[in-house]
Amino acid sequence: MPLSRLFQLLASAISLYTTICFIRIILTWIPGAQYSKFGRILSSICDPYLNLFRGFRFLRVGMFDLSPAIALCVLIAASSILGNLAAAKSFTLGGLLAIVLYLVWSVASSILGFLIILLVIRLIVLLMRKDRYGSIWDSLDRSLNPIVFRMSSFFTRGKPTPYKNALIIAAITAAGIWIALRMIITMLIGICQRLPI
């Protein structure tokens, strides 16, 4: 069996497993569905893998548990790497590094994009409503506060800042970081693709 065919089979198997894990995660959102016979079968197949990521505390930000998303991103990345290797006519270390950089950027970009969306939504709600208190918004604020005030304190030099201003600073900073990282990763991928090895 040619190596490219083996890579393609592995990519397809990982892609199928990713879909199964995604269905398992969705079932956890439906009350009682994960305890059905189908849910227990999916649990026995997917939970050993998904539990590997649940152990990382930094993937839990307040009420948000990013571990399932990261677990799926790793599977998608592995499938994509194997698929690209199967499609490539020749294998180079630079090409492989470029693929890995692109996939790492995809995961990081998704997380940073999610953060930017949360910051913008919170800012919009804060600007539109006079009473900014409620269980959902309080939980979101508890999750975002450490990030928001850490980002804004860099620019305000530790001076107390109103929450609305801190949100604006954090959203602009996160967007700036996203743009800068994208430019750096694009440049690094170009360098890797030109490597002769």
Side-chain angles (χ1 to χ4, degrees), residues 61-74:
V61 181
M63 67 178 186
F64 301 107
D65 181 9
L66 299 176
S67 64
I70 299 301
L72 289 178
C73 284
V74 168

Side-chain angles (χ1 to χ4, degrees), residues 63-64 113-145 148-149 162-168 170-171:
M63 67 178 186
F64 301 107
F114 181 67
L115 174 64
I116 293 167
I117 290 168
L118 286 178
L119 291 170
V120 169
I121 288 172
R122 185 60 189 115
L123 181 61
I124 290 169
V125 169
L126 188 60
L127 292 173
M128 292 178 66
R129 294 179 51 187
K130 291 186 178 180
D131 66 323
R132 65 176 188 90
Y133 301 103
S135 61
I136 293 173
W137 304 115
D138 288 342
S139 297
L140 184 60
D141 287 341
R142 279 193 299 277
S143 300
L144 292 176
N145 277 349
V148 167
F149 285 111
Y163 189 57
K164 180 174 61 173
N165 295 351
L167 275 172
I168 292 169

Side-chain angles (χ1 to χ4, degrees), residues 56-98:
F56 296 111
R57 298 179 89 193
F58 67 90
L59 293 177
R60 186 176 290 278
V61 181
M63 67 178 186
F64 301 107
D65 181 9
L66 299 176
S67 64
I70 299 301
L72 289 178
C73 284
V74 168
L75 287 173
I76 291 167
S79 176
S80 182
I81 287 173
L82 290 169
N84 284 326
L85 288 174
K89 300 283 188 227
S90 62
F91 304 106
T92 64
L93 179 60
L96 184 59
L97 284 173

Side-chain angles (χ1 to χ4, degrees), residues 12-193:
S12 298
I14 291 172
S15 184
L16 175 63
Y17 187 67
T18 304
T19 304
I20 293 169
C21 286
F22 180 73
I23 293 169
R24 165 69 179 128
I25 292 166
I26 296 298
L27 285 181
T28 63
W29 300 348
I30 303 169
Q34 64 181 332
Y35 302 110
S36 67
K37 185 175 181 180
F38 180 67
R40 288 193 307 268
I41 291 170
L42 287 183
S43 175
S44 67
I45 295 170
C46 301
D47 283 1
Y49 172 73
L50 294 173
N51 288 339
L52 294 173
F53 294 86
R54 288 188 182 120
F56 296 111
R57 298 179 89 193
F58 67 90
L59 293 177
R60 186 176 290 278
V61 181
M63 67 178 186
F64 301 107
D65 181 9
L66 299 176
S67 64
I70 299 301
L72 289 178
C73 284
V74 168
L75 287 173
I76 291 167
S79 176
S80 182
I81 287 173
L82 290 169
N84 284 326
L85 288 174
K89 300 283 188 227
S90 62
F91 304 106
T92 64
L93 179 60
L96 184 59
L97 284 173
I99 292 169
V100 170
L101 274 173
Y102 175 76
L103 295 172
V104 168
W105 165 245
S106 295
V107 171
S109 174
S110 299
I111 293 170
L112 200 51
F114 181 67
L115 174 64
I116 293 167
I117 290 168
L118 286 178
L119 291 170
V120 169
I121 288 172
R122 185 60 189 115
L123 181 61
I124 290 169
V125 169
L126 188 60
L127 292 173
M128 292 178 66
R129 294 179 51 187
K130 291 186 178 180
D131 66 323
R132 65 176 188 90
Y133 301 103
S135 61
I136 293 173
W137 304 115
D138 288 342
S139 297
L140 184 60
D141 287 341
R142 279 193 299 277
S143 300
L144 292 176
N145 277 349
I147 298 166
V148 167
F149 285 111
R150 186 171 295 155
M151 287 177 143
S152 66
S153 69
F154 180 78
F155 295 100
T156 61
R157 301 176 194 228
K159 294 178 184 172
T161 307
Y163 189 57
K164 180 174 61 173
N165 295 351
L167 275 172
I168 292 169
I169 293 168
I172 292 170
T173 302
I177 290 170
W178 187 89
I179 291 168
L181 285 176
R182 181 181 174 129
M183 289 174 19
I184 291 168
I185 292 293
T186 302
M187 182 184 68
L188 288 174
I189 288 172
I191 292 169
C192 287
Q193 288 174 334

